[in-house]
Amino acid sequence: MPLSANNPDRTSWLHVDKNSDFPIQNIPFGVFLTRDDIITIGTRIGDTAIDLGALHQLGYFDGIPLTDDIFLQDSLNDFIADGRKTWRAVRDRIAEIFDSNNTTLKNNKSHKEIVLFRLDEIEMQLPVEVGDYTDFYSSIEHATNVGTMFRDPDNALLPNWLHIPVGYHGRSSSVIPSGIPVHRPQGQTLPDGATEPVFGPSKLVDFELEMAFITTAANDLGEPIPVDEAEEYIFGLVLLNDWSARDIQKWEYVPLGPFLAKNFATSISPWIVTLDALEPYRVEGPKPIKPQLDYLKSTSKKKSFDIHLEVSIQPEGAKENLVSKSNFKYMYWNISQQLAHHTINGCPVNSGDLMGSGTISGPTPDSYGSMLELTWKGEKPIKLKDGTERKFINDNDTVIMRGFCEKDGTRIGFGEVSTKLLPVFKKK
Amino acid sequence: MPLSANNPDRTSWLHVDKNSDFPIQNIPFGVFLTRDDIITIGTRIGDTAIDLGALHQLGYFDGIPLTDDIFLQDSLNDFIADGRKTWRAVRDRIAEIFDSNNTTLKNNKSHKEIVLFRLDEIEMQLPVEVGDYTDFYSSIEHATNVGTMFRDPDNALLPNWLHIPVGYHGRSSSVIPSGIPVHRPQGQTLPDGATEPVFGPSKLVDFELEMAFITTAANDLGEPIPVDEAEEYIFGLVLLNDWSARDIQKWEYVPLGPFLAKNFATSISPWIVTLDALEPYRVEGPKPIKPQLDYLKSTSKKKSFDIHLEVSIQPEGAKENLVSKSNFKYMYWNISQQLAHHTINGCPVNSGDLMGSGTISGPTPDSYGSMLELTWKGEKPIKLKDGTERKFINDNDTVIMRGFCEKDGTRIGFGEVSTKLLPVFKKK
């Protein structure tokens, strides 16, 4: 049954630019501070932010079982915990309220003054309080590139890679929304040819182009989530920049994996685009190269999504430079497989957990998802429009990632995650 | 200046057994459900649990700046966030209230009925809502044993080990208090000689004897915590059992570290013993084998603690079997170094974060902190009193860890973390 909020023929009485990421078919969810310094949960149509807390107080969600303060919160965790039936009812209602044919709110000036905001009147926050953050490693192109560079080109993939959606735990305390700058990290590195490590600023700060899904509470301790049910527990997706310090990573990562090389910052886009909104953009993922164990096999084939992804670098005071174009559909392991694998041992998943895809590299060199791969360890620097070169990210560069789906004239986008890299932190 | 609550000459008007872990010099903090199903923060003297929420409402903490509901919460996070000055004031006040010479509460029968509980009237909960859980790998004996078994006996320690307090991120959603049983996990393993993995229950479920410290909010994104200030941000310690599935771990852990082999459960003891209570038991740790970078060097030497540790296995319906005796002082990297390292890149630390030591193995085979080491990969099974043998942990075995300090007739203990291993989860 098609989802009512996804009706491609619907238009809104709010203005939406032709190339907007946020037509009335999107209806993402986020958290923002209003001009009155009130924190609320909201959505966005075109360039108008909508205060769902205020809409709810005014009775626009009457008939949907919601607690009074469900949107008057500093995170979406409780709303997400209400489950898919509630998300759908709310998204459908929002589509109705802002439908061109519905004049109730449209003609109520005082309500509109309370509910609607220009983007420059609000400040986006983290959409969820992240309980646990997991990062997968699910792009075969990325894993192959890294394996080729640092291990053996003839055996680039490790033996487990085609059997396991390899993942590891990240740090939730350093997950930040778009717009919050990050300091270049310091740490230990082992210079080439040295036997003792040195201390100092990382010289190889990199981005990783990722997406991430956000879950609802799904299972008790001990209980696996079957792969065919996994999507019921996935609220939506965001863009994610998994900031990485390659020199710190190289020295620290054996045998327990990356730690300080990653946990100084992870940036996400502030609007969660629901899995429901992405429904029209389902595609099949890559065919398995080796047989997969039963708990990773879906009955349905279209478990991947056709999401165009882009990365730009913007030096201080200069123009943006597009450095990569990739696509979420390249992921070898899909989000259903990732969640089924994560819980097969009984690991509990909660509302607001964040699960990153891993770097999303495509098959061609211009679709690689990190500077490590784009410049091949710095051997092939990228020329920028201002005449400078980049092997990795310089101080005061801003890294911007964008993503969108497009089909039959409807575009559903994620906006952007934009993060400036500041110099090393100095105590004031 | 000695801490007033640590006065070794003080006795309590509450009964305390001679060998109790909880004399009036301990005053740990925990969270429990009372007989009236109310959740509260409490402490313990001898075998009496004390409701701090009720004590506060009755005015016993007057003069200490505390919010009214600081103890009427389901976690210690907010109290811990109040900082060390507050922790000390509260602990000192508790010592005064229960001092043998103080008759105020002792002689107030109606207050005592509200405030005091027998242990069988309460149910201990997780003491904190764990934001992030980090696990270190700081025992040189454990790292050497593992390196000897799985890599190269002549180069058992990896090159970074003597320079870095190696650590990685764990899963906070599966941290559980003592008493909650755990199911044997299922997952992928690669049988010896096979080229394709199989799916099934782990055959090598193991414990890891650890301790963990719990932090207060310490720093902003970007800001390191200096090693000499680290202890100011450490509230206290608990015992920790880092449940591990060795066969799953072996197949999954390259290149990003352990994941499903660990995140099915991590058990902790429910009473947090404050760093202040451990003050009399400070000792020097092992001498550094290699020079350490400046950010890891403390001005003061006694940064370790002399804490006796024990592990027992109790088969269903049978007696306990002591299988290991170790000590926290064996840790090569101390908690100050761990916290300084964790934040040197600017990673933020919050109130309620949990940081495990890694398996605490001692120098002799009877002091190893895991079955993997105690039975040397299963080559030397342990004989139990009931005539059975153990290479790893069997279904329905209970693993019990205990810890205590003892000096000059005063004993400060942690109680225990006791966890039963149930068979594989079956859907009802």
Side-chain angles (χ1 to χ4, degrees):
Chain A
M1 200 180 65
L3 297 158
S4 152
N6 288 356
N7 177 0
D9 300 325
R10 194 194 304 270
T11 57
S12 174
W13 51 263
L14 284 169
H15 173 75
V16 179
D17 276 341
K18 196 166 170 278
N19 287 321
S20 174
D21 279 355
F22 304 99
I24 194 167
Q25 288 76 18
N26 190 338
I27 312 181
F29 291 87
V31 173
F32 57 79
L33 264 178
T34 69
R35 58 198 162 214
D36 307 315
D37 237 22
I38 291 165
I39 202 151
T40 187
I41 286 170
T43 186
R44 173 177 175 177
I45 295 176
D47 286 343
T48 304
I50 298 157
D51 180 342
L52 297 180
L55 262 186
H56 188 24
Q57 282 182 311
L58 294 169
Y60 285 86
F61 293 112
D62 282 1
I64 302 174
L66 294 167
T67 57
D68 288 348
D69 63 348
I70 191 71
F71 297 124
L72 296 171
Q73 309 215 11
D74 60 3
S75 83
L76 278 154
N77 294 45
D78 285 354
F79 175 63
I80 294 173
D82 281 346
R84 188 157 74 168
K85 201 173 154 188
T86 302
W87 316 332
R88 285 188 172 164
V90 167
R91 198 164 153 268
D92 285 350
R93 181 68 60 85
I94 294 169
E96 286 165 24
I97 297 167
F98 293 94
D99 188 305
S100 295
N101 299 317
N102 188 335
T103 55
T104 312
L105 178 60
K106 183 184 179 186
N107 292 345
N108 191 324
K109 202 171 163 233
S110 66
H111 281 190
K112 283 200 293 185
E113 274 173 11
I114 298 167
V115 166
L116 305 182
F117 293 83
R118 292 192 318 271
L119 295 182
D120 61 9
E121 294 176 310
I122 63 163
E123 195 180 297
M124 295 304 297
Q125 311 290 307
L126 263 192
V128 286
E129 186 181 342
V130 180
D132 279 296
Y133 161 44
T134 294
D135 202 16
F136 288 93
Y137 184 59
S138 290
S139 151
I140 193 165
E141 289 84 1
H142 173 67
T144 304
N145 286 338
V146 172
T148 301
M149 275 187 259
F150 294 113
R151 284 183 300 265
D152 174 5
D154 295 328
N155 294 290
L157 285 183
L158 288 164
N160 59 13
W161 201 93
L162 291 170
H163 300 279
I164 293 181
V166 171
Y168 72 114
H169 301 118
R171 177 93 188 165
S172 70
S173 73
S174 51
V175 176
I176 52 175
S178 180
I180 302 289
V182 167
H183 286 279
R184 178 178 295 272
Q186 301 198 82
Q188 290 193 30
T189 57
L190 189 73
D192 283 345
T195 55
E196 304 293 310
V198 297
F199 178 78
S202 166
K203 291 176 179 159
L204 309 179
V205 176
D206 200 356
F207 61 79
E208 291 194 337
L209 170 64
E210 302 195 13
M211 299 202 71
F213 65 88
I214 288 160
T215 62
T216 184
N219 60 331
D220 292 326
L221 186 75
E223 185 179 8
I225 301 172
V227 65
D228 279 336
E229 293 173 23
E231 285 188 355
E232 291 174 30
Y233 301 102
I234 297 174
F235 177 63
L237 273 75
V238 292
L239 303 166
L240 184 147
N241 182 350
D242 178 23
W243 287 94
S244 301
R246 300 297 176 196
D247 40 1
I248 294 174
Q249 186 174 351
K250 196 176 168 188
W251 172 233
E252 76 170 356
Y253 92 105
V254 282
L256 300 181
F259 183 53
L260 300 187
K262 299 278 192 174
N263 68 15
F264 62 100
T266 306
S267 314
I268 63 173
S269 56
W271 294 107
I272 306 176
V273 176
T274 64
L275 212 57
D276 281 345
L278 298 173
E279 194 58 41
Y281 307 96
R282 283 185 182 276
V283 288
E284 281 188 41
K287 292 242 174 314
I289 294 170
K290 284 203 178 188
Q292 294 171 354
L293 287 164
D294 285 344
Y295 78 94
L296 295 169
K297 283 182 194 157
S298 296
T299 312
S300 143
K301 285 196 182 296
K302 292 193 170 178
K303 290 287 185 179
S304 199
F305 297 89
D306 182 10
I307 306 172
H308 302 277
L309 300 168
E310 295 179 356
V311 186
S312 292
I313 297 174
Q314 184 171 30
E316 181 96 332
K319 283 186 180 152
E320 278 188 32
N321 301 264
L322 184 68
V323 297
S324 175
K325 289 183 87 161
S326 186
N327 195 303
F328 188 62
K329 72 180 177 188
Y330 296 139
M331 303 301 294
Y332 185 82
W333 297 102
N334 61 52
I335 58 178
S336 296
Q337 292 174 312
Q338 289 169 342
L339 190 54
H341 181 67
H342 203 314
T343 59
I344 189 63
N345 68 342
C347 178
V349 167
N350 294 316
S351 178
D353 286 353
L354 183 73
M355 310 230 175
S357 57
T359 309
I360 307 166
S361 292
T364 57
D366 60 350
S367 65
Y368 293 167
S370 65
M371 292 298 276
L372 179 72
E373 295 162 87
L374 288 164
T375 71
W376 209 254
K377 288 189 284 182
E379 289 168 12
K380 301 173 188 171
I382 295 177
K383 266 211 152 38
L384 304 187
K385 291 173 191 162
D386 66 0
T388 61
E389 283 188 344
R390 289 294 179 282
K391 296 176 178 177
F392 289 90
I393 303 302
N394 285 5
D395 284 354
N396 301 309
D397 283 353
T398 298
V399 175
I400 306 156
M401 297 176 174
R402 297 189 178 91
F404 63 95
C405 308
E406 198 149 33
K407 193 174 151 187
D408 303 331
T410 304
R411 174 184 170 116
I412 301 287
F414 289 79
E416 63 181 35
V417 53
S418 167
T419 314
K420 187 173 178 176
L421 180 67
L422 300 176
V424 162
F425 176 89
K426 295 249 187 288
K427 188 113 189 167
K428 276 158 208 154
Chain B
M1 200 179 67
L3 296 159
S4 152
N6 288 356
N7 178 359
D9 300 324
R10 194 194 304 271
T11 56
S12 174
W13 52 263
L14 284 169
H15 174 74
V16 179
D17 277 340
K18 197 166 170 273
N19 286 321
S20 174
D21 280 353
F22 303 100
I24 194 167
Q25 288 77 18
N26 190 338
I27 311 180
F29 292 88
V31 173
F32 57 78
L33 265 177
T34 69
R35 56 196 164 215
D36 307 315
D37 237 22
I38 290 166
I39 200 150
T40 186
I41 286 169
T43 186
R44 173 176 174 176
I45 295 176
D47 286 344
T48 305
I50 298 157
D51 180 342
L52 296 181
L55 263 187
H56 188 26
Q57 281 181 314
L58 294 170
Y60 284 86
F61 293 113
D62 281 0
I64 302 174
L66 294 167
T67 55
D68 289 347
D69 63 348
I70 192 70
F71 296 124
L72 296 171
Q73 309 214 10
D74 60 4
S75 83
L76 278 154
N77 294 46
D78 285 354
F79 175 63
I80 294 173
D82 280 347
R84 190 159 73 167
K85 204 174 151 185
T86 301
W87 316 333
R88 286 188 173 165
V90 168
R91 198 164 153 270
D92 285 350
R93 181 67 60 86
I94 294 169
E96 285 165 25
I97 297 167
F98 292 94
D99 187 305
S100 294
N101 299 317
N102 188 335
T103 55
T104 312
L105 178 60
K106 184 183 178 185
N107 292 345
N108 191 324
K109 200 170 165 234
S110 66
H111 280 190
K112 283 200 291 186
E113 273 174 12
I114 299 167
V115 166
L116 305 181
F117 294 83
R118 291 193 318 271
L119 295 181
D120 62 8
E121 294 177 310
I122 64 164
E123 196 179 296
M124 296 304 297
Q125 310 290 306
L126 261 192
V128 287
E129 186 181 342
V130 180
D132 278 296
Y133 161 44
T134 293
D135 203 16
F136 287 94
Y137 184 57
S138 289
S139 152
I140 193 165
E141 288 84 1
H142 173 67
T144 304
N145 285 339
V146 172
T148 301
M149 275 186 259
F150 293 114
R151 284 184 299 267
D152 175 4
D154 295 328
N155 294 288
L157 285 182
L158 288 164
N160 59 12
W161 201 93
L162 291 170
H163 300 280
I164 293 180
V166 170
Y168 73 113
H169 301 118
R171 177 92 189 167
S172 69
S173 73
S174 51
V175 176
I176 53 174
S178 180
I180 303 289
V182 167
H183 286 279
R184 178 178 296 273
Q186 301 198 81
Q188 290 192 31
T189 57
L190 189 71
D192 283 344
T195 56
E196 304 293 311
V198 298
F199 178 78
S202 166
K203 291 176 180 158
L204 309 178
V205 176
D206 200 355
F207 61 79
E208 290 195 336
L209 169 63
E210 302 197 14
M211 299 203 68
F213 66 87
I214 287 160
T215 62
T216 182
N219 60 332
D220 291 326
L221 186 75
E223 185 179 8
I225 301 172
V227 66
D228 280 334
E229 293 172 23
E231 285 188 353
E232 291 174 29
Y233 302 102
I234 297 174
F235 177 63
L237 274 74
V238 292
L239 303 166
L240 184 148
N241 182 351
D242 179 22
W243 286 94
S244 301
R246 302 296 176 195
D247 42 359
I248 294 174
Q249 186 173 352
K250 195 176 169 190
W251 172 233
E252 76 171 358
Y253 92 103
V254 283
L256 300 181
F259 184 52
L260 300 188
K262 300 277 193 175
N263 68 16
F264 61 100
T266 306
S267 314
I268 63 173
S269 57
W271 293 107
I272 306 176
V273 176
T274 64
L275 213 56
D276 282 344
L278 299 172
E279 194 59 40
Y281 308 95
R282 281 187 182 277
V283 288
E284 280 189 41
K287 293 243 174 312
I289 294 171
K290 283 202 178 188
Q292 294 172 354
L293 286 164
D294 285 343
Y295 78 95
L296 295 169
K297 283 182 194 156
S298 296
T299 311
S300 142
K301 284 198 184 297
K302 293 193 170 179
K303 290 290 187 179
S304 200
F305 297 89
D306 183 9
I307 306 172
H308 302 276
L309 300 168
E310 296 179 355
V311 186
S312 291
I313 298 174
Q314 183 171 30
E316 181 96 333
K319 284 188 180 152
E320 278 190 31
N321 302 264
L322 183 68
V323 296
S324 174
K325 289 182 86 162
S326 186
N327 195 303
F328 189 61
K329 71 180 178 189
Y330 296 138
M331 303 300 296
Y332 185 82
W333 297 101
N334 61 51
I335 58 178
S336 296
Q337 292 174 313
Q338 288 169 341
L339 190 54
H341 181 67
H342 203 315
T343 60
I344 189 63
N345 68 342
C347 177
V349 166
N350 294 317
S351 178
D353 285 352
L354 183 74
M355 310 230 175
S357 57
T359 309
I360 306 168
S361 292
T364 56
D366 60 350
S367 64
Y368 293 167
S370 64
M371 293 298 276
L372 179 71
E373 296 163 86
L374 288 164
T375 70
W376 210 255
K377 286 189 286 183
E379 290 168 12
K380 301 174 191 170
I382 295 178
K383 266 212 155 35
L384 304 188
K385 291 174 193 162
D386 66 358
T388 61
E389 282 189 344
R390 290 293 180 283
K391 296 177 176 176
F392 289 90
I393 304 302
N394 285 6
D395 284 354
N396 300 310
D397 283 353
T398 298
V399 175
I400 306 157
M401 297 177 176
R402 298 189 176 91
F404 63 95
C405 308
E406 198 148 32
K407 194 176 148 185
D408 303 331
T410 305
R411 175 184 168 115
I412 300 286
F414 290 78
E416 63 180 36
V417 52
S418 167
T419 314
K420 186 173 179 176
L421 181 66
L422 300 176
V424 163
F425 176 89
K426 295 250 186 287
K427 189 113 188 166
K428 276 159 206 155

